[in-house]
Amino acid sequence: MRGHETISADQYEAAVRATWSEEQFQATVIALAQANGWRVAAFRPARTLHGWRTAVQADGAGWPDLVMVRGNKAICAELKVGRNRTTGLQKAWLVALEEAGFVSCVWYPSEWDDAIVPLLGR
């Protein structure tokens, strides 16, 4: 019989976060932000005859997943799960928004406790 390994609640929560889809991750970040008084904007893609598309015009391709504002603070966040990485267009938007005064972030579920919760908390 194999021995049972005991893990802490924090380890269990981290293991669950590691299995999140980007949709689950985004929903959880939005819930945290709204619970802490942030106004949040997210634009969801829709399925078309040509695959998944997000309706944008002009230079909108690569726009961050979330834009959040509370008081005089503005955050833009690109959310990634697994081995996904930012594209060149996403990086360009993050840089441009940071130069305009936003806090620009690329977040993974593993950063929940160390980066996301502290930044979005009250």
Side-chain angles (χ1 to χ4, degrees):
M1 179 179 226
R2 256 177 97 187
H4 295 282
E5 183 179 333
T6 303
I7 64 172
S8 69
D10 289 341
Q11 290 170 316
Y12 175 77
E13 289 174 8
V16 169
R17 285 193 295 271
T19 67
W20 279 347
S21 67
E22 193 165 310
E23 185 177 358
Q24 290 170 312
F25 184 30
Q26 181 168 310
T28 307
V29 171
I30 290 171
L32 173 67
Q34 289 177 328
N36 285 289
W38 293 87
R39 293 185 54 90
V40 181
F43 304 97
R44 296 181 357 189
R47 180 166 225 132
T48 70
L49 293 175
H50 305 288
W52 290 94
R53 302 284 190 263
T54 302
V56 296
Q57 280 186 283
D59 297 319
W63 183 257
D65 292 317
L66 300 175
V67 174
M68 299 165 280
V69 177
R70 184 178 73 188
N72 64 354
K73 191 168 200 176
I75 299 171
C76 58
E78 185 60 39
L79 307 180
K80 298 293 181 186
V81 297
R83 295 175 187 235
N84 293 341
R85 298 290 177 250
T86 53
T87 66
L89 290 172
Q90 290 168 334
K91 288 176 187 176
W93 268 116
L94 292 170
V95 167
L97 289 164
E98 190 164 308
E99 288 174 352
F102 281 72
V103 173
S104 294
C105 306
V106 178
W107 285 334
Y108 289 85
S110 61
E111 298 171 298
W112 183 259
D113 291 323
D114 296 328
I116 301 167
V117 170
L119 189 57
L120 295 180
R122 292 210 176 256

